[in-house]
Amino acid sequence: MTIKEYTATDENKIIAEKWFSHLRDSICKEFEQIENSNSNKNSFKINKWNRDGGGGGKMSIMKGDVFEKVGVNISTVHGKFTESFRSKIPGAEEDGNFWASGISVVSHPKNPFVPAAHMNTRLIVTSKTWFGGGGDITPMKPSPKMSNLFHENLKKTCNRHDEKYYDKFKAWADEYFFIKHRNETRGDGGIFFDYINTGSWDKDFNFVKDIGHNFLTSYSKIIKKTQNLPWNSKDREDQLVKRGRYAEFNLLYDRGTLFGLKTGGNTDAILMSLPPEVKWS
Amino acid sequence: MTIKEYTATDENKIIAEKWFSHLRDSICKEFEQIENSNSNKNSFKINKWNRDGGGGGKMSIMKGDVFEKVGVNISTVHGKFTESFRSKIPGAEEDGNFWASGISVVSHPKNPFVPAAHMNTRLIVTSKTWFGGGGDITPMKPSPKMSNLFHENLKKTCNRHDEKYYDKFKAWADEYFFIKHRNETRGDGGIFFDYINTGSWDKDFNFVKDIGHNFLTSYSKIIKKTQNLPWNSKDREDQLVKRGRYAEFNLLYDRGTLFGLKTGGNTDAILMSLPPEVKWS
């Protein structure tokens, strides 16, 4: 960390929190339109939760015909990390104070030919300030065209901000979204980034906003291209087994899940990411 | 650990390994009889696996109408613990050498009124020697009668060997089979024990044999009493959601699962315990 670093002001925090909330609204609106384009009338149900230590969040979940289950969580929390966590979090070593705000989206479509997808972005403030996040796609059936579309959009988005970002963050995702005990990736990857503080708040915040916005555009395109593909019971079976791997990853390796559950986070919001139905052979 | 301790001889090891194999045969035979009492013709399929570091195991799985999925694993493995594990395993501090043999049974019945159940027993030899294991029952729908039957049989079995065992090992199971992030137990408990070396090989080995044998008798009785109870789609739904909790426990907390996956164990054998189908709401 260098002197270029900024510290988020109270105004920065408010603006970031508002952005995550605004992005949540855009995502839910767009997903509801997709869900109901065939005259369904499904909608997101919102559950609010409060965190004992300070702050809370809102969990939006929709269960429908296009989206078997899709969740969009936003949360803004603050407090003090316990002693044992302080050494693991940059800038928390001294007093353990933290503030964090973010959004997390996980989609499990019903049609096995529509890939599952995940995106999250967050702003963390301890005595240091940084952005983190990522997005990745998990086809249930091999779907190189859709993966390429997803990656190309990510690359374009990254390149608008820094030509080094895509390669760097894609490599990070490849390492992160790996199911070690299966020796296989969770899906077709995407990007993963953390500890982003280039010295320019505007540059970093614009990048994070662009990632969120691009995810919505790009994933909506993928859904529309695949949602009407015919599928049979074998495809469903493949999907349920692949989802089992997804559940294994989230419960065994996902940092956010393990961190959240260990620090007394909201269990329902954290495990919102788990697929609605899975099979293990 | 005191001077009363025994060290397993090569003969002890052979006898223990043979017992686990014999118990596997008895369990599979009895479960196949139950499965096929209504003129089904399902049977256990056996998969053999070898461990890179030494030894291996046999995984027996049956998928049927009474047992949606039941697995019986036996394994005998040996090798050296990596440096990072040595300090965590009694008697492995010096050279890290270990030998272990055991059996593990996990049953996920189809009828939501037949409880899921688990039993395992093992002999571990480092520079120390001890037995470990346990058994527990997880009703998918509240089933106090079946839980009482299971516990009473466990208590009788324990009392034949040591009047302190049942209370002690039941308390250990209550602590162990607890899903912290849900603030709920995995099921209705049972017993859990480890580091058993009373100074008498015969006493300890007889206890472990009795636990295995009693599990088969007691759980078979429970299946026969419940397998023909009528159930509906709501019961199935409850079962699938309860099984989600079971998967959460195994992937987030189960020592054997985490230890096995981290030490390069056989993934299929370790994750045999996961339910065949689960739902998350």
PDB file of all heavy atoms in Angstrom, chain A residues 228-255:
ATOM      1  N   ASN A 228     -35.077 -20.106 -24.177  1.00  0.00           N
ATOM      2  CA  ASN A 228     -36.094 -20.891 -24.873  1.00  0.00           C
ATOM      3  C   ASN A 228     -35.549 -22.147 -25.541  1.00  0.00           C
ATOM      4  O   ASN A 228     -36.263 -22.834 -26.275  1.00  0.00           O
ATOM      5  CB  ASN A 228     -36.830 -20.021 -25.889  1.00  0.00           C
ATOM      6  CG  ASN A 228     -37.645 -18.935 -25.198  1.00  0.00           C
ATOM      7  OD1 ASN A 228     -38.323 -19.202 -24.203  1.00  0.00           O
ATOM      8  ND2 ASN A 228     -37.537 -17.708 -25.684  1.00  0.00           N
ATOM      9  N   LEU A 229     -34.297 -22.480 -25.261  1.00  0.00           N
ATOM     10  CA  LEU A 229     -33.728 -23.718 -25.823  1.00  0.00           C
ATOM     11  C   LEU A 229     -34.441 -24.925 -25.202  1.00  0.00           C
ATOM     12  O   LEU A 229     -34.710 -24.937 -23.999  1.00  0.00           O
ATOM     13  CB  LEU A 229     -32.227 -23.799 -25.530  1.00  0.00           C
ATOM     14  CG  LEU A 229     -31.344 -22.773 -26.271  1.00  0.00           C
ATOM     15  CD1 LEU A 229     -29.913 -22.818 -25.732  1.00  0.00           C
ATOM     16  CD2 LEU A 229     -31.357 -23.019 -27.773  1.00  0.00           C
ATOM     17  N   PRO A 230     -34.772 -25.918 -26.024  1.00  0.00           N
ATOM     18  CA  PRO A 230     -35.459 -27.098 -25.477  1.00  0.00           C
ATOM     19  C   PRO A 230     -34.510 -27.934 -24.608  1.00  0.00           C
ATOM     20  O   PRO A 230     -33.313 -27.998 -24.891  1.00  0.00           O
ATOM     21  CB  PRO A 230     -35.859 -27.868 -26.738  1.00  0.00           C
ATOM     22  CG  PRO A 230     -34.928 -27.420 -27.797  1.00  0.00           C
ATOM     23  CD  PRO A 230     -34.519 -26.018 -27.472  1.00  0.00           C
ATOM     24  N   TRP A 231     -35.050 -28.541 -23.576  1.00  0.00           N
ATOM     25  CA  TRP A 231     -34.234 -29.396 -22.706  1.00  0.00           C
ATOM     26  C   TRP A 231     -35.038 -30.595 -22.244  1.00  0.00           C
ATOM     27  O   TRP A 231     -36.275 -30.565 -22.213  1.00  0.00           O
ATOM     28  CB  TRP A 231     -33.680 -28.609 -21.520  1.00  0.00           C
ATOM     29  CG  TRP A 231     -34.706 -27.897 -20.680  1.00  0.00           C
ATOM     30  CD1 TRP A 231     -35.246 -26.666 -20.918  1.00  0.00           C
ATOM     31  CD2 TRP A 231     -35.315 -28.363 -19.467  1.00  0.00           C
ATOM     32  NE1 TRP A 231     -36.149 -26.330 -19.941  1.00  0.00           N
ATOM     33  CE2 TRP A 231     -36.209 -27.352 -19.026  1.00  0.00           C
ATOM     34  CE3 TRP A 231     -35.191 -29.523 -18.694  1.00  0.00           C
ATOM     35  CZ2 TRP A 231     -36.974 -27.483 -17.863  1.00  0.00           C
ATOM     36  CZ3 TRP A 231     -35.946 -29.653 -17.533  1.00  0.00           C
ATOM     37  CH2 TRP A 231     -36.828 -28.633 -17.128  1.00  0.00           C
ATOM     38  N   ASN A 232     -34.336 -31.669 -21.875  1.00  0.00           N
ATOM     39  CA  ASN A 232     -35.018 -32.888 -21.441  1.00  0.00           C
ATOM     40  C   ASN A 232     -34.558 -33.300 -20.038  1.00  0.00           C
ATOM     41  O   ASN A 232     -33.759 -32.602 -19.400  1.00  0.00           O
ATOM     42  CB  ASN A 232     -34.764 -34.020 -22.448  1.00  0.00           C
ATOM     43  CG  ASN A 232     -33.271 -34.283 -22.626  1.00  0.00           C
ATOM     44  OD1 ASN A 232     -32.491 -34.129 -21.690  1.00  0.00           O
ATOM     45  ND2 ASN A 232     -32.876 -34.667 -23.832  1.00  0.00           N
ATOM     46  N   SER A 233     -35.060 -34.434 -19.572  1.00  0.00           N
ATOM     47  CA  SER A 233     -34.780 -34.840 -18.189  1.00  0.00           C
ATOM     48  C   SER A 233     -33.299 -35.151 -17.962  1.00  0.00           C
ATOM     49  O   SER A 233     -32.780 -34.960 -16.868  1.00  0.00           O
ATOM     50  CB  SER A 233     -35.643 -36.037 -17.793  1.00  0.00           C
ATOM     51  OG  SER A 233     -35.356 -37.111 -18.653  1.00  0.00           O
ATOM     52  N   LYS A 234     -32.610 -35.602 -18.995  1.00  0.00           N
ATOM     53  CA  LYS A 234     -31.163 -35.839 -18.875  1.00  0.00           C
ATOM     54  C   LYS A 234     -30.426 -34.510 -18.636  1.00  0.00           C
ATOM     55  O   LYS A 234     -29.495 -34.430 -17.826  1.00  0.00           O
ATOM     56  CB  LYS A 234     -30.663 -36.517 -20.166  1.00  0.00           C
ATOM     57  CG  LYS A 234     -29.162 -36.508 -20.407  1.00  0.00           C
ATOM     58  CD  LYS A 234     -28.435 -37.531 -19.560  1.00  0.00           C
ATOM     59  CE  LYS A 234     -26.982 -37.737 -19.990  1.00  0.00           C
ATOM     60  NZ  LYS A 234     -26.150 -36.551 -19.951  1.00  0.00           N
ATOM     61  N   ASP A 235     -30.854 -33.458 -19.367  1.00  0.00           N
ATOM     62  CA  ASP A 235     -30.245 -32.137 -19.172  1.00  0.00           C
ATOM     63  C   ASP A 235     -30.489 -31.637 -17.744  1.00  0.00           C
ATOM     64  O   ASP A 235     -29.600 -31.068 -17.104  1.00  0.00           O
ATOM     65  CB  ASP A 235     -30.828 -31.115 -20.168  1.00  0.00           C
ATOM     66  CG  ASP A 235     -30.607 -31.536 -21.622  1.00  0.00           C
ATOM     67  OD1 ASP A 235     -29.526 -32.071 -21.917  1.00  0.00           O
ATOM     68  OD2 ASP A 235     -31.528 -31.340 -22.446  1.00  0.00           O
ATOM     69  N   ARG A 236     -31.705 -31.864 -17.264  1.00  0.00           N
ATOM     70  CA  ARG A 236     -32.038 -31.454 -15.892  1.00  0.00           C
ATOM     71  C   ARG A 236     -31.154 -32.196 -14.890  1.00  0.00           C
ATOM     72  O   ARG A 236     -30.646 -31.614 -13.936  1.00  0.00           O
ATOM     73  CB  ARG A 236     -33.521 -31.746 -15.612  1.00  0.00           C
ATOM     74  CG  ARG A 236     -33.975 -31.510 -14.179  1.00  0.00           C
ATOM     75  CD  ARG A 236     -34.040 -30.042 -13.810  1.00  0.00           C
ATOM     76  NE  ARG A 236     -34.546 -29.824 -12.451  1.00  0.00           N
ATOM     77  CZ  ARG A 236     -34.570 -28.646 -11.842  1.00  0.00           C
ATOM     78  NH1 ARG A 236     -34.129 -27.566 -12.455  1.00  0.00           N
ATOM     79  NH2 ARG A 236     -35.031 -28.513 -10.622  1.00  0.00           N
ATOM     80  N   GLU A 237     -30.972 -33.490 -15.120  1.00  0.00           N
ATOM     81  CA  GLU A 237     -30.131 -34.312 -14.247  1.00  0.00           C
ATOM     82  C   GLU A 237     -28.695 -33.764 -14.222  1.00  0.00           C
ATOM     83  O   GLU A 237     -28.102 -33.596 -13.158  1.00  0.00           O
ATOM     84  CB  GLU A 237     -30.149 -35.752 -14.782  1.00  0.00           C
ATOM     85  CG  GLU A 237     -29.784 -36.814 -13.773  1.00  0.00           C
ATOM     86  CD  GLU A 237     -30.789 -36.967 -12.646  1.00  0.00           C
ATOM     87  OE1 GLU A 237     -31.956 -36.519 -12.779  1.00  0.00           O
ATOM     88  OE2 GLU A 237     -30.389 -37.530 -11.602  1.00  0.00           O
ATOM     89  N   ASP A 238     -28.173 -33.473 -15.403  1.00  0.00           N
ATOM     90  CA  ASP A 238     -26.813 -32.898 -15.494  1.00  0.00           C
ATOM     91  C   ASP A 238     -26.725 -31.584 -14.711  1.00  0.00           C
ATOM     92  O   ASP A 238     -25.743 -31.309 -14.030  1.00  0.00           O
ATOM     93  CB  ASP A 238     -26.438 -32.617 -16.957  1.00  0.00           C
ATOM     94  CG  ASP A 238     -26.266 -33.900 -17.759  1.00  0.00           C
ATOM     95  OD1 ASP A 238     -26.150 -34.980 -17.145  1.00  0.00           O
ATOM     96  OD2 ASP A 238     -26.257 -33.815 -19.010  1.00  0.00           O
ATOM     97  N   GLN A 239     -27.776 -30.793 -14.858  1.00  0.00           N
ATOM     98  CA  GLN A 239     -27.823 -29.502 -14.172  1.00  0.00           C
ATOM     99  C   GLN A 239     -27.794 -29.694 -12.649  1.00  0.00           C
ATOM    100  O   GLN A 239     -27.053 -29.013 -11.941  1.00  0.00           O
ATOM    101  CB  GLN A 239     -29.107 -28.773 -14.574  1.00  0.00           C
ATOM    102  CG  GLN A 239     -29.313 -27.415 -13.912  1.00  0.00           C
ATOM    103  CD  GLN A 239     -30.728 -26.910 -14.130  1.00  0.00           C
ATOM    104  OE1 GLN A 239     -31.700 -27.657 -13.953  1.00  0.00           O
ATOM    105  NE2 GLN A 239     -30.861 -25.652 -14.525  1.00  0.00           N
ATOM    106  N   LEU A 240     -28.600 -30.647 -12.161  1.00  0.00           N
ATOM    107  CA  LEU A 240     -28.691 -30.851 -10.712  1.00  0.00           C
ATOM    108  C   LEU A 240     -27.359 -31.342 -10.140  1.00  0.00           C
ATOM    109  O   LEU A 240     -26.965 -30.963  -9.039  1.00  0.00           O
ATOM    110  CB  LEU A 240     -29.827 -31.825 -10.378  1.00  0.00           C
ATOM    111  CG  LEU A 240     -31.232 -31.322 -10.733  1.00  0.00           C
ATOM    112  CD1 LEU A 240     -32.288 -32.392 -10.427  1.00  0.00           C
ATOM    113  CD2 LEU A 240     -31.566 -30.033  -9.974  1.00  0.00           C
ATOM    114  N   VAL A 241     -26.662 -32.195 -10.891  1.00  0.00           N
ATOM    115  CA  VAL A 241     -25.356 -32.701 -10.439  1.00  0.00           C
ATOM    116  C   VAL A 241     -24.310 -31.584 -10.452  1.00  0.00           C
ATOM    117  O   VAL A 241     -23.530 -31.423  -9.514  1.00  0.00           O
ATOM    118  CB  VAL A 241     -24.914 -33.907 -11.295  1.00  0.00           C
ATOM    119  CG1 VAL A 241     -23.470 -34.291 -11.011  1.00  0.00           C
ATOM    120  CG2 VAL A 241     -25.840 -35.099 -11.044  1.00  0.00           C
ATOM    121  N   LYS A 242     -24.327 -30.783 -11.530  1.00  0.00           N
ATOM    122  CA  LYS A 242     -23.393 -29.647 -11.618  1.00  0.00           C
ATOM    123  C   LYS A 242     -23.657 -28.662 -10.475  1.00  0.00           C
ATOM    124  O   LYS A 242     -22.721 -28.090  -9.898  1.00  0.00           O
ATOM    125  CB  LYS A 242     -23.567 -28.957 -12.972  1.00  0.00           C
ATOM    126  CG  LYS A 242     -22.629 -27.802 -13.235  1.00  0.00           C
ATOM    127  CD  LYS A 242     -21.247 -28.258 -13.633  1.00  0.00           C
ATOM    128  CE  LYS A 242     -20.333 -27.072 -13.967  1.00  0.00           C
ATOM    129  NZ  LYS A 242     -18.929 -27.487 -14.042  1.00  0.00           N
ATOM    130  N   ARG A 243     -24.932 -28.479 -10.143  1.00  0.00           N
ATOM    131  CA  ARG A 243     -25.262 -27.599  -9.022  1.00  0.00           C
ATOM    132  C   ARG A 243     -24.731 -28.134  -7.699  1.00  0.00           C
ATOM    133  O   ARG A 243     -24.438 -27.373  -6.776  1.00  0.00           O
ATOM    134  CB  ARG A 243     -26.785 -27.434  -8.916  1.00  0.00           C
ATOM    135  CG  ARG A 243     -27.384 -26.469  -9.905  1.00  0.00           C
ATOM    136  CD  ARG A 243     -28.864 -26.364  -9.592  1.00  0.00           C
ATOM    137  NE  ARG A 243     -29.615 -25.488 -10.457  1.00  0.00           N
ATOM    138  CZ  ARG A 243     -30.942 -25.463 -10.471  1.00  0.00           C
ATOM    139  NH1 ARG A 243     -31.639 -26.278  -9.683  1.00  0.00           N
ATOM    140  NH2 ARG A 243     -31.582 -24.630 -11.268  1.00  0.00           N
ATOM    141  N   GLY A 244     -24.626 -29.469  -7.596  1.00  0.00           N
ATOM    142  CA  GLY A 244     -24.037 -30.063  -6.393  1.00  0.00           C
ATOM    143  C   GLY A 244     -22.604 -29.577  -6.216  1.00  0.00           C
ATOM    144  O   GLY A 244     -22.163 -29.251  -5.114  1.00  0.00           O
ATOM    145  N   ARG A 245     -21.880 -29.508  -7.337  1.00  0.00           N
ATOM    146  CA  ARG A 245     -20.502 -29.007  -7.292  1.00  0.00           C
ATOM    147  C   ARG A 245     -20.479 -27.541  -6.848  1.00  0.00           C
ATOM    148  O   ARG A 245     -19.577 -27.101  -6.131  1.00  0.00           O
ATOM    149  CB  ARG A 245     -19.854 -29.101  -8.676  1.00  0.00           C
ATOM    150  CG  ARG A 245     -19.847 -30.475  -9.271  1.00  0.00           C
ATOM    151  CD  ARG A 245     -18.829 -31.339  -8.568  1.00  0.00           C
ATOM    152  NE  ARG A 245     -18.327 -32.377  -9.433  1.00  0.00           N
ATOM    153  CZ  ARG A 245     -18.803 -33.611  -9.497  1.00  0.00           C
ATOM    154  NH1 ARG A 245     -19.806 -33.966  -8.703  1.00  0.00           N
ATOM    155  NH2 ARG A 245     -18.276 -34.490 -10.319  1.00  0.00           N
ATOM    156  N   TYR A 246     -21.474 -26.798  -7.330  1.00  0.00           N
ATOM    157  CA  TYR A 246     -21.576 -25.377  -6.966  1.00  0.00           C
ATOM    158  C   TYR A 246     -21.757 -25.246  -5.453  1.00  0.00           C
ATOM    159  O   TYR A 246     -21.101 -24.433  -4.799  1.00  0.00           O
ATOM    160  CB  TYR A 246     -22.772 -24.765  -7.703  1.00  0.00           C
ATOM    161  CG  TYR A 246     -22.755 -23.256  -7.828  1.00  0.00           C
ATOM    162  CD1 TYR A 246     -22.268 -22.655  -8.983  1.00  0.00           C
ATOM    163  CD2 TYR A 246     -23.236 -22.429  -6.820  1.00  0.00           C
ATOM    164  CE1 TYR A 246     -22.258 -21.269  -9.119  1.00  0.00           C
ATOM    165  CE2 TYR A 246     -23.228 -21.050  -6.940  1.00  0.00           C
ATOM    166  CZ  TYR A 246     -22.748 -20.470  -8.101  1.00  0.00           C
ATOM    167  OH  TYR A 246     -22.738 -19.093  -8.241  1.00  0.00           O
ATOM    168  N   ALA A 247     -22.637 -26.085  -4.899  1.00  0.00           N
ATOM    169  CA  ALA A 247     -22.871 -26.074  -3.445  1.00  0.00           C
ATOM    170  C   ALA A 247     -21.596 -26.478  -2.703  1.00  0.00           C
ATOM    171  O   ALA A 247     -21.246 -25.879  -1.681  1.00  0.00           O
ATOM    172  CB  ALA A 247     -24.023 -27.005  -3.087  1.00  0.00           C
ATOM    173  N   GLU A 248     -20.891 -27.478  -3.216  1.00  0.00           N
ATOM    174  CA  GLU A 248     -19.624 -27.887  -2.586  1.00  0.00           C
ATOM    175  C   GLU A 248     -18.652 -26.718  -2.539  1.00  0.00           C
ATOM    176  O   GLU A 248     -18.029 -26.455  -1.510  1.00  0.00           O
ATOM    177  CB  GLU A 248     -18.977 -29.039  -3.365  1.00  0.00           C
ATOM    178  CG  GLU A 248     -19.655 -30.372  -3.177  1.00  0.00           C
ATOM    179  CD  GLU A 248     -19.056 -31.460  -4.080  1.00  0.00           C
ATOM    180  OE1 GLU A 248     -17.867 -31.377  -4.445  1.00  0.00           O
ATOM    181  OE2 GLU A 248     -19.804 -32.405  -4.422  1.00  0.00           O
ATOM    182  N   PHE A 249     -18.513 -26.022  -3.671  1.00  0.00           N
ATOM    183  CA  PHE A 249     -17.582 -24.885  -3.702  1.00  0.00           C
ATOM    184  C   PHE A 249     -17.956 -23.846  -2.655  1.00  0.00           C
ATOM    185  O   PHE A 249     -17.130 -23.406  -1.868  1.00  0.00           O
ATOM    186  CB  PHE A 249     -17.527 -24.225  -5.089  1.00  0.00           C
ATOM    187  CG  PHE A 249     -16.633 -23.020  -5.101  1.00  0.00           C
ATOM    188  CD1 PHE A 249     -15.273 -23.166  -5.302  1.00  0.00           C
ATOM    189  CD2 PHE A 249     -17.136 -21.747  -4.836  1.00  0.00           C
ATOM    190  CE1 PHE A 249     -14.422 -22.070  -5.256  1.00  0.00           C
ATOM    191  CE2 PHE A 249     -16.294 -20.636  -4.783  1.00  0.00           C
ATOM    192  CZ  PHE A 249     -14.937 -20.807  -4.999  1.00  0.00           C
ATOM    193  N   ASN A 250     -19.245 -23.474  -2.663  1.00  0.00           N
ATOM    194  CA  ASN A 250     -19.647 -22.380  -1.771  1.00  0.00           C
ATOM    195  C   ASN A 250     -19.480 -22.737  -0.295  1.00  0.00           C
ATOM    196  O   ASN A 250     -19.095 -21.898   0.504  1.00  0.00           O
ATOM    197  CB  ASN A 250     -21.090 -21.955  -2.063  1.00  0.00           C
ATOM    198  CG  ASN A 250     -21.168 -21.098  -3.316  1.00  0.00           C
ATOM    199  OD1 ASN A 250     -20.259 -21.127  -4.154  1.00  0.00           O
ATOM    200  ND2 ASN A 250     -22.231 -20.332  -3.463  1.00  0.00           N
ATOM    201  N   LEU A 251     -19.768 -23.998   0.055  1.00  0.00           N
ATOM    202  CA  LEU A 251     -19.691 -24.373   1.466  1.00  0.00           C
ATOM    203  C   LEU A 251     -18.276 -24.735   1.913  1.00  0.00           C
ATOM    204  O   LEU A 251     -17.936 -24.608   3.078  1.00  0.00           O
ATOM    205  CB  LEU A 251     -20.657 -25.534   1.753  1.00  0.00           C
ATOM    206  CG  LEU A 251     -22.144 -25.176   1.601  1.00  0.00           C
ATOM    207  CD1 LEU A 251     -23.017 -26.420   1.674  1.00  0.00           C
ATOM    208  CD2 LEU A 251     -22.570 -24.178   2.675  1.00  0.00           C
ATOM    209  N   LEU A 252     -17.447 -25.181   0.978  1.00  0.00           N
ATOM    210  CA  LEU A 252     -16.089 -25.594   1.364  1.00  0.00           C
ATOM    211  C   LEU A 252     -15.048 -24.502   1.148  1.00  0.00           C
ATOM    212  O   LEU A 252     -14.077 -24.419   1.895  1.00  0.00           O
ATOM    213  CB  LEU A 252     -15.664 -26.836   0.576  1.00  0.00           C
ATOM    214  CG  LEU A 252     -16.222 -28.175   1.045  1.00  0.00           C
ATOM    215  CD1 LEU A 252     -15.993 -29.244  -0.019  1.00  0.00           C
ATOM    216  CD2 LEU A 252     -15.571 -28.611   2.354  1.00  0.00           C
ATOM    217  N   TYR A 253     -15.212 -23.681   0.105  1.00  0.00           N
ATOM    218  CA  TYR A 253     -14.127 -22.768  -0.263  1.00  0.00           C
ATOM    219  C   TYR A 253     -14.479 -21.289  -0.302  1.00  0.00           C
ATOM    220  O   TYR A 253     -13.602 -20.453  -0.181  1.00  0.00           O
ATOM    221  CB  TYR A 253     -13.566 -23.148  -1.648  1.00  0.00           C
ATOM    222  CG  TYR A 253     -13.073 -24.556  -1.756  1.00  0.00           C
ATOM    223  CD1 TYR A 253     -13.700 -25.479  -2.599  1.00  0.00           C
ATOM    224  CD2 TYR A 253     -11.977 -24.985  -1.014  1.00  0.00           C
ATOM    225  CE1 TYR A 253     -13.241 -26.786  -2.708  1.00  0.00           C
ATOM    226  CE2 TYR A 253     -11.512 -26.283  -1.113  1.00  0.00           C
ATOM    227  CZ  TYR A 253     -12.144 -27.182  -1.963  1.00  0.00           C
ATOM    228  OH  TYR A 253     -11.696 -28.458  -2.058  1.00  0.00           O
ATOM    229  N   ASP A 254     -15.740 -20.944  -0.561  1.00  0.00           N
ATOM    230  CA  ASP A 254     -16.037 -19.530  -0.804  1.00  0.00           C
ATOM    231  C   ASP A 254     -15.709 -18.655   0.411  1.00  0.00           C
ATOM    232  O   ASP A 254     -16.288 -18.823   1.491  1.00  0.00           O
ATOM    233  CB  ASP A 254     -17.505 -19.341  -1.200  1.00  0.00           C
ATOM    234  CG  ASP A 254     -17.775 -17.905  -1.618  1.00  0.00           C
ATOM    235  OD1 ASP A 254     -17.147 -17.446  -2.587  1.00  0.00           O
ATOM    236  OD2 ASP A 254     -18.577 -17.227  -0.939  1.00  0.00           O
ATOM    237  N   ARG A 255     -14.791 -17.721   0.217  1.00  0.00           N
ATOM    238  CA  ARG A 255     -14.323 -16.872   1.320  1.00  0.00           C
ATOM    239  C   ARG A 255     -15.455 -16.095   1.966  1.00  0.00           C
ATOM    240  O   ARG A 255     -15.549 -15.998   3.183  1.00  0.00           O
ATOM    241  CB  ARG A 255     -13.268 -15.876   0.809  1.00  0.00           C
ATOM    242  CG  ARG A 255     -12.003 -16.535   0.346  1.00  0.00           C
ATOM    243  CD  ARG A 255     -10.820 -15.582   0.244  1.00  0.00           C
ATOM    244  NE  ARG A 255     -11.170 -14.225  -0.191  1.00  0.00           N
ATOM    245  CZ  ARG A 255     -10.271 -13.318  -0.569  1.00  0.00           C
ATOM    246  NH1 ARG A 255      -8.990 -13.634  -0.592  1.00  0.00           N
ATOM    247  NH2 ARG A 255     -10.636 -12.108  -0.931  1.00  0.00           N
TER     248      ARG A 255
END
